[in-house]
Amino acid sequence: MSVIYIILIAIGALLLGAGLTLVIMRFMAGGILEKAKEEAEVIKKNKIVEAKEKFIALKLEYENQVRQQQQKQQQAQERQQERERQLNQKQSEVSRLQNEMQKQMQLLEQQKAGIEFREKETEKLHKQAQQQLESVSGLSAEEAKKQLVESLKDEAKTNAMAYVNEIMEDARMNANKEAKKIIVQTIQRIASETAVENSASVFHIENDDMKGRIIGREGRNIRALEAATGVEVVVDDTPDAIVLSAFDPVRREVARLALHQLVTDGRIHPARIEEVVAKVQKQVEEEIIETGKRTTIDLGVHGLHPELIKMVGRMKYRSSYGQNLLQHSRETANLCAAMAAELGLNPKKARRAGLLHDIGKVAEENPEMPHALYGAQLCKQYGEKDDICNAVGAHHDEMEMETMLAPIVQACDAISGARPGARREIVEAYIKRLNDLENLALSYPGVIKTYAIQAGRELRVIVGADKLTDKETELLSFDLAKRIQDEMTYPGQVKITVIRETRAINYAK
């Protein structure tokens, strides 16, 4: 009984628990459902509020867009109205201008008609006056015109001649002044060097014992050196010095360098002398070419033939009355460039012609012709242009001058050679030579005055027109040139100009 009772109690308890559980679950489900309904209601209200806000924002945006469109349309209408107003103003302005133009045209037509009327009246009066003048003077209009033209011609000729003479005199005075100014400026701008070369070189040695070694046994060393170089070696009592004498500066330089190497090396015998001289000759030839190249580069002279460059280098070892030929040519080139620039000519061509003007003095061959003509021939042979060749050949008046380069080269050559200190010549000997030139010309009958000018490069002789004829004047010039050439010593050449003039003098009282 107890077990069944217990089971029944247990079953009753289970049923009671299940019922309670069911009641609790229903109660909880009802609370959750209410809560869910409340939350859904809140969400619904929020969504409605968001939708209203979004609707309001969209409405505002749309209203703004509509307002902007209305503003743009209003602005466009205003611009259109402004354009129409401007067009109306322009149209009214054009109409006004057209009216004014029509009025001006009418006024011009009236003035034109008035002018034509006055022209007709003037022509009629002119014809009447002309008929009256013809009747009074007894001349027709054409005859009077011819007489007037002739009188005006004579007056114009007189005035023109006076004007031409005045211009020529003014040009002559200004030309002399400008020429002197250009020459002075050119000389001042170019640096000058004095004469330093001579025909002998002095080789210094440390002691006199070396002289015996240079002479050698029975003089064989010195003979071998003289035979190899063509230079006279003078060994005298001068302490610590040996003199090398030769008129060819290149040979003298070869001998000096060879002797320097022999003394430095210490081995001095004929075979060694010949070996060293041959080596030094090659070095000097290379130095000549290098000097020529360096000179052309320094002066800006490009495109010279290699043979001309070599001749330019040889100028370094050539001198005339103590003036180094390369320095003289460089100075002449710079003078020519400066003078050509002053005269508005090409300074590069002038510098080229100045550098080459004495090229005929250093050629390996020595033809029987003046160095200026031979230089022009060499320039033509090695491809120089005709104006350069003419300037080289005409700088001593041995060829006719064809371009402005020729007188420039001649003047600059004279400036470089005749300036003080350029050439070594004792003042007394220089003055004596000029006096001898003048006295030689004065010894001829019929000579009135003589002038040695351009540092003795030109002799001007004035003879009386009543004492010599033209033919005798030519013979006097020829004879003077021959006597000067045979009897006197001078650098370069001397130009003899004999002047025979007739002067008619009267006095107005």
Side-chain angles (χ1 to χ4, degrees), residues 220-412:
R220 63 176 187 172
N221 289 346
I222 198 170
R223 285 198 302 272
L225 183 61
E226 289 179 344
T229 60
V231 174
E232 181 182 1
V233 183
V234 181
V235 182
D236 53 16
D237 295 335
T238 305
D240 300 333
I242 294 175
V243 178
L244 306 175
S245 178
F247 287 103
D248 189 342
V250 177
R251 294 206 303 264
R252 210 165 60 238
E253 181 68 9
V254 170
R256 187 186 68 80
L257 293 175
L259 195 57
H260 176 73
Q261 289 192 17
L262 289 169
V263 171
T264 303
D265 184 46
R267 294 179 295 163
I268 305 176
H269 53 82
R272 176 66 177 165
I273 288 172
E274 293 178 357
E275 178 185 350
V276 171
V277 169
K279 183 179 179 181
V280 169
Q281 283 177 342
K282 186 177 179 181
Q283 290 176 354
V284 170
E285 289 294 326
E286 293 175 354
E287 176 65 21
I288 286 173
I289 296 174
E290 182 62 26
T291 300
K293 290 180 179 179
R294 190 164 55 250
T295 301
T296 56
I297 291 173
D298 290 344
L299 294 175
V301 177
H302 305 293
L304 277 182
H305 192 278
E307 286 298 323
L308 291 179
I309 292 177
K310 186 176 179 181
M311 292 180 193
V312 170
R314 287 179 66 86
M315 289 181 181
K316 177 181 178 182
Y317 303 100
R318 175 71 187 266
S319 61
S320 176
Y321 279 79
Q323 186 180 26
N324 182 267
L325 190 59
L326 181 59
Q327 295 299 332
H328 166 63
S329 297
R330 288 174 66 104
E331 185 179 6
T332 303
N334 289 324
L335 285 166
C336 289
M339 193 173 291
E342 292 288 341
L343 296 173
L345 301 176
N346 188 340
K348 291 185 177 180
K349 279 192 173 183
R351 188 180 286 112
R352 191 184 193 95
L355 176 64
L356 298 176
H357 80 283
D358 273 343
I359 204 75
K361 290 184 177 180
V362 293
E364 296 181 357
E365 299 178 2
N366 190 16
E368 294 295 329
M369 62 188 306
H371 75 273
L373 295 179
Y374 188 50
Q377 181 178 325
L378 288 173
C379 289
K380 190 173 184 63
Q381 178 182 346
Y382 292 118
E384 291 298 314
K385 294 183 179 180
D386 292 339
D387 50 355
I388 303 294
C389 299
N390 178 255
V392 171
H395 77 275
H396 283 317
D397 288 326
E398 293 164 337
M399 179 186 292
E400 184 179 354
M401 296 183 181
E402 297 176 356
T403 66
M404 281 297 295
L405 280 181
I408 289 176
V409 172
Q410 185 184 53
C412 295

Side-chain angles (χ1 to χ4, degrees), residues 134-148:
E134 288 178 356
S135 62
V136 171
S137 63
L139 295 175
S140 65
E142 291 297 326
E143 292 174 349
K145 190 186 296 183
K146 286 181 181 179
Q147 289 185 3
L148 180 61

Side-chain angles (χ1 to χ4, degrees), residues 51-66:
K52 287 181 179 180
E53 290 177 352
K54 190 172 183 180
F55 173 76
I56 292 170
L58 290 173
K59 182 180 179 183
L60 290 174
E61 183 178 357
Y62 175 74
E63 289 177 352
N64 289 332
Q65 290 178 356
V66 170

Side-chain angles (χ1 to χ4, degrees), residues 21-48:
T21 302
L22 181 62
V23 171
I24 291 169
M25 287 181 66
R26 283 181 179 177
F27 178 77
M28 289 178 65
I32 292 170
L33 183 61
E34 287 295 330
K35 189 177 181 179
K37 285 181 180 180
E38 290 177 359
E39 289 178 355
E41 190 68 24
V42 171
I43 291 171
K44 179 180 177 182
K45 290 180 180 179
N46 290 336
K47 291 295 182 180
I48 292 171

Side-chain angles (χ1 to χ4, degrees), residues 65-115:
Q65 290 178 356
V66 170
R67 193 179 303 111
Q68 290 176 359
Q69 291 292 335
Q70 289 176 350
Q71 289 178 354
K72 289 180 181 179
Q73 289 178 358
Q74 186 176 359
Q75 291 175 356
Q77 288 178 358
E78 291 177 354
R79 286 196 295 270
Q80 183 69 23
Q81 291 174 358
E82 182 65 23
R83 287 198 204 96
E84 290 177 355
R85 186 167 55 255
Q86 291 178 355
L87 287 174
N88 292 332
Q89 290 178 355
K90 289 181 180 179
Q91 187 174 2
S92 61
E93 183 69 18
V94 169
S95 300
R96 185 181 64 79
L97 291 174
Q98 286 179 350
N99 293 331
E100 290 182 357
M101 189 178 296
Q102 289 178 357
K103 291 179 181 178
Q104 291 290 336
M105 290 293 294
Q106 292 175 359
L107 182 62
L108 288 174
E109 289 292 335
Q110 293 174 0
Q111 291 178 352
K112 182 178 178 183
I115 290 171

